[in-house]
Amino acid sequence: MADNSSPKKRPAKKAAGKNKSSERRAFPDISPTAWEHPADRAALQALRKIPALDMAIRKVVALFGEKSIRLAFKANAVKVTPKQYPWLHKALLDVCETLDTDEIPELYVTQTPLVNAGAVGMDKPFIVLNSSTIELLDRQECESVIAHEVAHIMSGHALYRTMLMLLLRFSFTRYPLADIAVKPLMYALLEWSRKAELSCDRAALLATQDREVVMGSLMRIAGGSRGEELDLDEFIIQSEEYRRNDDVISGVYKVLAAMGSTHPFAVARVGALTDWIESGEYDECLKGNYRTRGQDTETPYSEDVGDAAASYTVTVRDVVDDVGATVGNITSRMSGAWTRKDSEADKD
């Protein structure tokens, strides 16, 4: 039977300062808005504006049953405890203490060749860590991945990610009308999901407080192999080259390539994290100047949403402008090519 027991409660809060177990700065009462990317908040707010979306998603998840989803992972995975993967269990506790979570989520390791992890569930989300992840990454990098997933739970992402997982896993090809109805929602969830990853990369940095660990994990997930030495500086240079590429057609290719992915490209994630560090917001958090949960109720959240929506709108407008420019460019080239062919044909 499924384990319906409540998740372990976080130990009593400690005063602000160093996390004794890891010698890192702890963040008492930190609000997820302290690390959330503006585009993530804007996309999520746009999703929540869809009438009765939350209710519809909960009904779909309930169709499969959260207990069934939880049982499926428990039946074919190892639950992390002080006796099972004790180092992962300690990493989970350290992350939860640093980010000051209200509850410690359950963590499972499942035998999967794909290097990945996920936060799954509705009312009591839990974390699933693929076995290949702990084989490829070192222990600090694994802790970074765990922090990333804890942040998804703290930011309230698990419900939407579970819905996306179900949509991606189950095909609607036998029911064309259902496919037409569901695809817009799936694309909207995919777009939001990519933005949410940028938020949780920031949280992973706050939890580990080591940029080389977080960026190194992204590099290895992108193309690492067991026992192979990789150079993070080279990967950061690669990231900068990607971000500086102003070729319009390449920009469209980036958009098209990302359309079916739940995650942004690793080089883009490294670049986004670099931007956040250089903005000074990361250092401000380390100094204790971050938004707390109490401030979320004191300050109208709509102000943040407005800022986020503005950022998101600019991004979308830029993409649309780029696509429009590219289409015009391609049309012009094709028209020119046909004109030349017609001229050559007339000469013949």
Side-chain angles (χ1 to χ4, degrees):
M1 293 179 64
D3 183 0
N4 296 321
S5 59
S6 300
K8 290 183 178 179
K9 292 288 184 180
R10 176 182 49 81
K13 293 181 181 179
K14 296 181 179 181
K18 292 288 185 178
N19 179 333
K20 292 182 179 179
S21 61
S22 58
E23 292 303 315
R24 296 173 189 154
R25 172 68 60 181
F27 302 100
D29 289 317
I30 189 169
S31 166
T33 57
W35 64 67
E36 287 170 352
H37 192 283
D40 167 22
R41 294 203 299 272
L44 193 56
Q45 285 298 315
L47 278 175
R48 287 171 173 163
K49 286 182 179 179
I50 299 174
L53 175 65
D54 274 15
M55 184 180 297
I57 289 180
R58 288 178 182 275
K59 285 184 177 180
V60 172
V61 174
L63 179 65
F64 297 93
E66 184 175 11
K67 291 182 180 179
S68 298
I69 295 173
R70 183 180 293 271
L71 182 58
F73 282 101
K74 286 187 175 183
N76 198 33
V78 174
K79 182 178 180 180
V80 173
T81 69
K83 293 184 178 180
Q84 299 274 49
Y85 290 107
W87 63 276
L88 283 176
H89 185 260
K90 182 179 184 304
L92 175 64
L93 295 181
D94 287 348
V95 165
C96 289
E97 183 180 355
T98 301
L99 297 181
D100 196 26
T101 54
D102 290 327
E103 294 183 338
I104 299 173
E106 293 178 341
L107 173 62
Y108 295 87
V109 175
T110 185
Q111 193 67 249
T112 309
L114 179 66
V115 179
N116 204 354
V120 185
M122 185 166 62
D123 296 320
K124 296 178 181 178
F126 56 96
I127 299 170
V128 179
L129 196 62
N130 291 1
S131 58
S132 292
T133 304
I134 61 178
E135 292 173 3
L136 177 66
L137 306 183
D138 65 27
R139 294 191 173 190
Q140 285 184 302
E141 291 166 344
C142 285
E143 184 174 357
S144 170
V145 173
I146 291 172
H148 180 103
E149 299 305 325
V150 167
H152 274 307
I153 294 175
M154 293 180 68
S155 288
H157 294 164
L159 173 64
Y160 299 95
R161 297 183 88 212
T162 302
M163 178 66 175
L164 180 57
M165 178 193 73
L166 294 174
L167 289 177
L168 292 173
R169 183 162 298 185
F170 296 98
S171 172
F172 292 88
T173 53
R174 293 184 181 180
Y175 309 97
L177 292 178
D179 192 31
I180 293 172
V182 166
K183 272 189 174 179
L185 173 59
M186 185 171 72
Y187 288 142
L189 286 168
L190 282 167
E191 174 62 20
W192 159 75
S193 178
R194 292 189 288 270
K195 301 298 186 292
E197 294 303 309
L198 302 181
S199 294
C200 297
D201 286 341
R202 295 176 174 186
L205 179 59
L206 289 175
T208 61
Q209 293 162 34
D210 191 327
R211 67 184 285 274
E212 292 189 2
V213 167
V214 179
M215 293 183 180
S217 66
L218 292 173
M219 174 180 64
R220 290 203 165 274
I221 290 172
S225 60
R226 295 168 183 83
E228 188 71 27
E229 291 294 329
L230 297 178
D231 191 312
L232 179 58
D233 289 336
E234 285 294 310
F235 193 69
I236 292 175
I237 292 173
Q238 178 185 336
S239 171
E240 290 299 320
E241 290 174 349
Y242 180 88
R243 295 163 65 209
R244 287 198 306 266
N245 189 347
D246 293 327
D247 183 80
V248 176
I249 295 179
S250 294
V252 174
Y253 286 160
K254 294 174 190 177
V255 175
L256 294 178
M259 279 292 289
S261 174
T262 58
H263 291 60
F265 297 132
V267 289
R269 293 171 68 178
V270 167
L273 194 58
T274 299
D275 286 342
W276 191 57
I277 294 171
E278 292 177 350
S279 74
E281 290 184 46
Y282 170 60
D283 284 335
E284 286 301 308
C285 287
L286 291 180
K287 293 175 183 177
N289 301 323
Y290 54 81
R291 189 166 185 168
T292 64
R293 294 163 201 164
Q295 289 174 317
D296 282 344
T297 58
E298 294 171 1
T299 304
Y301 189 66
S302 58
E303 293 179 8
D304 288 338
V305 174
D307 293 341
S311 172
Y312 192 57
T313 300
V314 169
T315 300
V316 172
R317 186 176 63 241
D318 289 345
V319 170
V320 171
D321 289 345
D322 284 348
V323 173
T326 300
V327 171
N329 192 12
I330 292 174
T331 302
S332 177
R333 291 180 185 180
M334 290 179 65
S335 177
W338 282 111
T339 300
R340 285 193 298 274
K341 285 185 179 181
D342 289 341
S343 298
E344 292 171 1
D346 290 340
K347 290 179 181 179
D348 294 339

